[in-house]
Amino acid sequence: MNLQVEMWKRAAAEEAARLVRDKMVVGLGSGTTVAEVIRAIAKLRPQATFVPSSSATQRLASDLGLKLSSLNIHHKLDLMLDGADEVDPNFDMIKGRGGAHTREKIVAGAAKRVVIIIDRSKLVQKLGERSPVPVEVLAFAHEYTMRKLAELGGESRLRMAASGAPFVTDDGNYIVDTTFRSILKPAELEQKINRVPGVVENGIFVGVADEVFVGYEGGCVRLKSKRDFLKFTHGKV
Ligand code: 5RP
């Protein structure tokens, strides 16, 4: 594990944890960055309620004593805190390396404000530069679905777990990591992938993030606009 990246991630996570106020209902994404956020929140002990988006997040938050709820009880959230695998200048994202993007998209859709927490290595000029698009698919016809994704120009690989068996999501589905040579129109591709029979949801998130907290060598910078993004990536912060 890259220690420097871990430090950047923690700096951004600690800053994001301070957004949580008493009485808020807060959605929590998944992944190692969100785990840092949860640890930082637990230290601050706010009287807030949390809606986890995966069983791993639920376990950690519950172990650390956070009060949990679900979207079936709280339909509107004040805030969503989540990580990402890639963020572009429009704040469009690729998510789902943890395989929880379907639930994350649902939870984010219920939140008034979505704050994404990343380290600077995840900022990209174009989506797909460093990550495939994770696509959650029904196990039932996953090979057929992979062929259909190939017709869209995507090269899919079935994600495997450490055990050697296919990785299975919290909802019992498979993930196919699909590489597209270039993603010029993320919104269009997001819709096209979701129209393929057998696809549950894909990891392209368009127009979801309101703000991006980026951990870097100087601590944490909060990006609120494309202008902030470009200033930061051109070394002007
Ligand atoms: C899980 C996600 C994660 O937020 C994303 O993969 C980033 O994970 P990490 O913080 O471990 O780098 O989308 O579905």
Side-chain angles (χ1 to χ4, degrees), residues 9 27 44 53 84 86 99 114 116 121 134 144 149 182 187 212 216 233:
K9 212 188 256 191
L44 300 173
S53 61
E86 289 188 356
V114 176
I116 297 299
S121 69
Y144 170 79
L149 288 170
S182 72
V212 184
Y216 73 116
T233 50

Side-chain angles (χ1 to χ4, degrees), residues 9 30-33 82-85 95-101 104 122:
K9 212 188 256 191
S30 314
T32 54
T33 312
D82 201 356
D85 302 308
K95 289 181 45 54
R97 213 179 48 200
H101 58 273
E104 289 164 349
K122 292 174 170 180

